[in-house]
């Protein structure tokens, strides 16, 4: 991604309202719908620049979730991301993680094996 794109995403993160908690979670969440398509376009461009001759997905979903880790050492319990379905019936197949902050300790992500349906 370009520095300009990363700066735009970070600026977006800071102005999104924190959503009301829907479940017992140590983290707050913000939500964004990329109705203008600028994030989806940047994803497609980044995949093409990486040398992908065939994109692994048709498009990035417009709905995004930002997590706010308010405590040092915060995180999520082990889980498997659920598929999301958009308004035209497309189901998500991949999860993309983008860290907007650097940290001197921690920051680990452990990816679990896919669970069979």
């Amino acid at each position: 991604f370009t520095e300009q794109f990363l700066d735009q995403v970070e600026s977006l993160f800071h102005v999104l309202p924190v959503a009301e908690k829907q479940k017992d979670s140590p983290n707050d969440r913000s939500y964004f719908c990329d109705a203008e398509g600028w994030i989806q376009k940047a994803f497609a461009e980044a995949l093409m620049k990486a040398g992908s001759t065939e994109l692994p997905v048709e498009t990035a979903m417009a709905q995004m979730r930002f997590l706010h880790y308010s405590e040092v050492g915060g995180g999520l319990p082990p889980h498997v991301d659920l598929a999301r379905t958009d308004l035209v019936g497309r189901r998500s197949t991949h999860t993309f993680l983008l860290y907007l902050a650097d940290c001197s300790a921690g920051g680990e992500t452990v990816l679990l094996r896919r669970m069979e349906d």
Side-chain angles (χ1 to χ4, degrees):
F1 295 110
T2 67
E3 284 298 319
Q4 179 184 3
F5 171 77
L6 295 174
D7 289 343
Q8 283 180 283
V9 173
E10 187 170 5
S11 294
L12 171 66
F13 171 76
H14 291 295
V15 299
L16 289 174
V18 173
E20 184 177 320
K21 285 193 184 254
Q22 300 293 319
K23 56 185 172 182
D24 185 26
S25 174
N27 307 302
D28 289 324
R29 298 162 191 253
S30 295
Y31 298 91
F32 177 70
C33 180
D34 183 26
E36 296 174 352
W38 62 276
I39 293 178
Q40 295 168 83
K41 180 181 176 198
F43 272 80
E45 289 173 355
L47 287 168
M48 293 301 229
K49 283 182 185 176
S52 297
T53 56
E54 187 176 315
L55 296 178
V57 294
E58 180 183 321
T59 185
M61 299 287 270
Q63 295 78 20
M64 294 167 219
R65 178 177 54 233
F66 293 81
L67 296 180
H68 304 257
Y69 296 104
S70 55
E71 299 176 18
V72 173
L76 295 172
H79 70 283
V80 176
D81 288 349
L82 299 174
R84 305 286 183 197
T85 303
D86 69 9
L87 295 175
V88 295
R90 292 178 297 203
R91 288 177 51 90
S92 62
T93 57
H94 295 73
T95 296
F96 180 81
L97 303 174
L98 177 64
Y99 294 92
L100 297 176
D102 209 354
C103 57
S104 59
E108 294 89 8
T109 298
V110 177
L111 300 176
L112 304 174
R113 290 188 178 272
R114 183 179 187 274
M115 294 177 61
E116 295 302 319
D117 295 328

